Amino acid sequence: MKLRTTVQLSGAITSTIQKSKPTLKREDSFLKRFSTRQIPELQETVDPCEDSDAPSGSVSCVMSRLGWKNHRKRRKNSRTPCTVVNTDGNFYYCWLFFVSISVLYNLWTLIVRQAFPELQEYQEDFWSSMDIITDIVFLLDVGVQFRTGYLEQGLMVYDSKKLAGHYIKSKNFLLDLLALFPLDLIQRNTGVKPILRFPRFLKVYRVYNYYYIVESRTVYPNVWRVVNLIHILLILAHWFGCFYYLLSEAEGFQGDWVYPYRPGDYASLSRKYLGSLYWSTLTLTTIGDLPTPETNKQ
């Protein structure tokens, strides 16, 4: 009887202590950042005084509610802002694609429009529209980079002031400002000269950013590297061919090495470009000493 009474009393005392003693939960903020478990919203709406025996108007219950509200406010403020661009997200990947297209448009078209003015005159409204569109894309890219997150001690930064300061102090900000310099406004006095838009070439670093992102995402990285190498060779041949025609024009098309400009088929736009591209390809591949092609497909 005494033993039974002692066990019952000890059990009652233990249960009373457990009810009166609050449960402490320690949250590790470092592990919480990397936790992928989704906490149900119902847990945030539970009143902390519902499960306790204290009256709703007591001091302990009021303090518990204040701490619970502050906890919810901290959780709300710690969420990722929707306006911050994550460098690993799909939006950043797609945006870099459009910026790269705009950069490549300038790299491919400006020199050929400068070397062959008839190409510029043939679709002048189209070229002007495309130039304005690419300038708008470059201007929007500045705004995107002001909101692009970066890693600091292994954690992504989402603070607006830190993001703006990080971008302004970087060399990319200076390159973006120089790329948007309106040097092409000189065309109003000198006539149409597309090559005056050459500051846009400074945005080529965004193409490199897109290249590395695609290389890390694709399942065929070697194929992507080969395509990139072929593109570099083609654009080099394109530029050298246009330079070759500009030099030939500067020499008055006099000499054995210049473009064989004469009335007829050699004066057409397609023949002039393909003939110049043929010469630059022979020069880059160190073949040389080959006869001048007589047809466009040769």
Side-chain angles (χ1 to χ4, degrees), residues 144-198:
V144 170
Q145 294 196 69
F146 266 110
R147 302 297 300 167
T148 301
Y150 67 95
L151 292 178
E152 186 179 62
Q153 297 181 356
L155 300 177
M156 186 67 69
V157 176
Y158 296 105
D159 185 75
S160 300
K161 294 182 179 179
K162 287 186 177 181
L163 294 179
H166 180 265
Y167 174 55
I168 292 175
K169 294 178 182 179
S170 64
K171 64 178 181 180
N172 296 342
F173 180 70
L174 179 60
L175 292 176
D176 291 339
L177 290 182
L178 294 177
L180 292 173
F181 188 76
L183 189 62
D184 50 340
L185 295 179
I186 303 177
Q187 298 180 83
R188 296 181 178 180
N189 299 326
T190 62
V192 179
K193 294 185 181 299
I195 199 62
L196 291 176
R197 291 174 52 83
F198 72 89

Side-chain angles (χ1 to χ4, degrees), residues 92-260:
Y92 188 72
Y93 174 78
C94 296
W95 176 251
L96 280 184
F97 171 77
F98 288 109
V99 176
S100 300
I101 292 297
S102 301
V103 176
L104 294 179
Y105 161 79
N106 287 279
L107 286 175
W108 276 93
T109 62
L110 295 187
I111 185 63
V112 71
R113 288 158 56 191
Q114 180 68 31
F116 306 102
E118 55 267 34
L119 180 62
Q120 171 68 27
E121 297 172 358
Y122 179 67
Q123 292 288 342
E124 188 171 359
D125 294 337
F126 172 76
W127 298 122
S128 300
S129 301
M130 291 300 298
D131 292 343
I132 294 174
I133 291 174
T134 55
D135 290 346
I136 293 175
V137 172
F138 291 161
L139 184 61
L140 292 176
D141 185 56
V142 175
V144 170
Q145 294 196 69
F146 266 110
R147 302 297 300 167
T148 301
Y150 67 95
L151 292 178
E152 186 179 62
Q153 297 181 356
L155 300 177
M156 186 67 69
V157 176
Y158 296 105
D159 185 75
S160 300
K161 294 182 179 179
K162 287 186 177 181
L163 294 179
H166 180 265
Y167 174 55
I168 292 175
K169 294 178 182 179
S170 64
K171 64 178 181 180
N172 296 342
F173 180 70
L174 179 60
L175 292 176
D176 291 339
L177 290 182
L178 294 177
L180 292 173
F181 188 76
L183 189 62
D184 50 340
L185 295 179
I186 303 177
Q187 298 180 83
R188 296 181 178 180
N189 299 326
T190 62
V192 179
K193 294 185 181 299
I195 199 62
L196 291 176
R197 291 174 52 83
F198 72 89
R200 276 60 174 180
F201 298 158
L202 296 176
K203 294 286 291 185
V204 72
Y205 76 92
R206 298 292 274 173
V207 180
Y208 284 103
N209 294 341
Y210 179 73
Y211 166 78
Y212 289 118
I213 290 179
V214 175
E215 186 180 23
S216 63
R217 286 194 173 198
T218 182
V219 294
Y220 302 105
N222 292 329
V223 175
W224 174 246
R225 296 187 188 103
V226 171
V227 171
N228 182 66
L229 178 61
I230 294 174
H231 176 262
I232 292 175
L233 294 177
L234 289 176
I235 200 170
L236 286 176
H238 173 76
W239 270 77
F240 278 114
C242 294
F243 275 130
Y244 167 70
Y245 186 82
L246 287 173
L247 290 174
S248 301
E249 188 178 19
E251 293 292 332
F253 301 101
Q254 301 295 326
D256 296 334
W257 63 273
V258 300
Y259 178 78

